Amino acid sequence: MKNTRQALREFGASFMGPAFLVYAKAVEIQGAGRVPVCLAREGWCFERLLSHLNTQGHIELEHAPQYLKVSRTLLFRANLGHDFLWPLALANNFEGSMLDLMRKRFGLQMHEAFSVLPGELLQMEVKLPEQQADAIMWLEPHLPRLKALVAPTLQGVMAYLEALGLKTGPQPMMLDLGYSGTIQKVLTRMLERDTHGLYYVTTKQSGSQHGKGVATLEGVFQENAAWGEGFQMLDRSLLFESLMTAPHGQVVDVREDSEGGFEFCYGRQAATQRHFQDLQQVFDGAIEQVATWLAGGVTFTSEEVEQMYESFATRQGGIPQCAWHLFFVDDDFSGNGILNPLALFNI
């Protein structure tokens, strides 16, 4: 009987490998004159993939990939109270109290929320995006205190971006799974420069102005996709999201320390962080398979990758039992807590 380690590596090769291969080649092509910036939790895996392939000579990148340890929650916290943020931060689905919204979407701790907002406001229920205008109206009188509370976070993020050299030099090429480029759009405003985003799937392709910069989005496997239309790499993307995470989980705050380095604070761990040694076997199996394919001149079309993913995402038993414990994803952002996509999709 195959041991668990080998089974996980083989699962990684077949489940993640094909998409990694096509995506890495797209990064190589689109990366000319740009620096690949691997975003958020998914970026941890992308940086390992691209660095390995580049170092081994399987792809050629003009600039070494960088891992940018940020999250939507961190960037929303840093910019809380600024008008430009509301359309980005309040457009996604959410149901819960205003306290839940402040904690789960903007990364405030409970004592921080109560220190700047009245208790009766925090107890109010809100449903987004339907009550977006109401939420803004309720928060409006308290914006100066909110901005003062998060000012150290904004300072830390700006110093972090500066230290990585992202405000000058080659254009950043933001790498992530997708889908509407929220992190890229906030970073475009903060960096005050044009950025290019390369994703698995985009729901909005066209470039958009964000402050002094334009955020251009491009999808490798699908562009202008819509939820619920049967494109499984979008509709059942939670399967990829479950696995493509970092050992530290979600970043919720950052501070510059006295020696010029940075201290990061993290949210709660999901099952994938607690079993990260198993997840790393999945990653390593996928990365080694991609290197083998590239060395042998193997390639896939986007359509072939979609078909292979669909066979895992829609067929009961498609995901081997040895990997079931890795399929949990933190969806606090929408107020849903920890989700199990295998149960959600009945596979």
Side-chain angles (χ1 to χ4, degrees):
M1 188 174 180
K2 204 176 295 179
N3 66 44
T4 300
R5 178 176 177 274
Q6 184 61 26
L8 288 168
R9 294 174 77 88
E10 291 181 4
F11 169 64
S14 57
F15 180 69
M16 305 179 80
F20 275 6
L21 172 64
V22 175
Y23 190 69
K25 292 297 291 181
V27 172
E28 180 182 41
I29 294 167
Q30 296 294 328
R34 299 178 175 130
V35 56
V37 180
C38 306
L39 299 178
R41 284 177 285 186
E42 293 93 333
W44 187 88
C45 190
F46 281 149
E47 192 275 335
R48 289 187 75 237
L49 168 71
L50 296 171
S51 293
H52 178 81
L53 298 179
N54 192 42
T55 301
Q56 297 298 316
H58 297 300
I59 60 173
E60 293 184 13
L61 299 175
E62 189 173 334
H63 301 282
Q66 293 192 26
Y67 174 42
L68 183 58
K69 197 185 288 189
V70 295
S71 67
R72 283 183 298 184
T73 300
L74 171 64
L75 297 181
F76 285 178
R77 175 187 170 96
N79 292 283
L80 182 56
H82 294 270
D83 288 343
F84 82 86
L85 187 66
W86 299 133
L88 295 170
L90 301 179
N92 294 86
N93 293 338
F94 183 90
E95 254 188 281
S97 68
M98 287 294 289
L99 175 59
D100 289 338
L101 182 70
M102 291 295 103
R103 291 174 57 225
K104 295 176 178 180
R105 186 155 296 187
F106 296 96
L108 300 193
Q109 297 180 50
M110 189 173 293
H111 73 272
E112 292 178 320
F114 277 100
S115 73
V116 293
L117 297 172
E120 55 270 25
L121 186 155
L122 292 170
Q123 292 173 17
M124 295 175 70
E125 294 292 311
V126 63
K127 183 177 182 181
L128 298 175
E130 293 86 345
Q131 290 183 280
Q132 184 176 153
D134 291 337
I136 296 171
M137 179 181 66
W138 298 338
L139 293 170
E140 188 74 33
H142 313 287
L143 294 187
R145 290 195 300 277
L146 284 168
K147 288 181 180 179
L149 173 70
V150 301
T153 301
L154 179 58
Q155 181 180 354
V157 173
M158 293 304 298
Y160 179 44
L161 297 175
E162 186 80 43
L164 291 179
L166 296 179
K167 296 199 71 176
T168 57
Q171 183 190 62
M173 181 170 66
M174 309 293 188
L175 308 181
D176 200 352
L177 277 179
Y179 303 92
S180 59
T182 303
I183 293 178
Q184 180 191 349
K185 291 169 182 174
V186 178
L187 287 172
T188 299
R189 179 174 284 270
M190 297 179 77
L191 294 170
E192 299 184 312
R193 63 183 309 193
D194 295 348
T195 64
H196 188 90
L198 189 66
Y199 302 92
Y200 272 20
V201 181
T202 63
T203 50
K204 296 178 182 178
Q205 179 191 5
S206 58
S208 52
Q209 190 81 32
H210 295 275
K212 297 181 180 179
V214 173
T216 303
L217 282 67
E218 183 176 351
V220 172
F221 298 104
Q222 187 86 297
E223 293 181 328
N224 299 317
W227 297 92
E229 293 190 346
F231 182 68
Q232 301 302 338
M233 290 187 74
L234 179 63
D235 289 349
R236 301 199 170 188
S237 55
L238 278 177
L239 297 171
F240 268 149
E241 289 184 41
S242 296
L243 298 184
M244 294 184 64
T245 188
H248 50 68
Q250 184 182 56
V251 182
V252 295
D253 206 352
V254 59
R255 295 284 195 278
E256 190 173 14
D257 62 30
S258 58
E259 298 178 353
F262 297 92
E263 296 179 355
F264 296 89
C265 299
Y266 307 103
R268 65 177 175 179
Q269 292 188 334
T272 41
Q273 276 78 47
R274 294 193 297 273
H275 300 286
F276 204 81
Q277 72 280 2
D278 291 343
L279 188 56
Q280 190 146 332
Q281 296 300 326
V282 176
F283 289 161
D284 289 348
I287 292 170
E288 288 180 9
Q289 181 63 73
V290 172
T292 300
W293 280 333
L294 287 171
V298 175
T299 189
F300 301 107
T301 66
S302 295
E303 292 74 20
E304 287 171 335
V305 174
E306 294 161 20
Q307 289 167 6
M308 285 184 274
Y309 183 76
E310 187 168 340
S311 70
F312 282 104
T314 61
R315 183 167 53 88
Q316 284 195 333
I319 307 291
Q321 190 170 353
C322 65
W324 286 357
H325 63 296
L326 300 176
F327 283 90
F328 291 88
V329 63
D330 180 349
D331 194 33
D332 272 349
F333 191 84
S334 298
N336 295 321
I338 301 292
L339 296 178
N340 179 346
L342 299 184
L344 186 65
F345 302 137
N346 193 31
I347 55 174

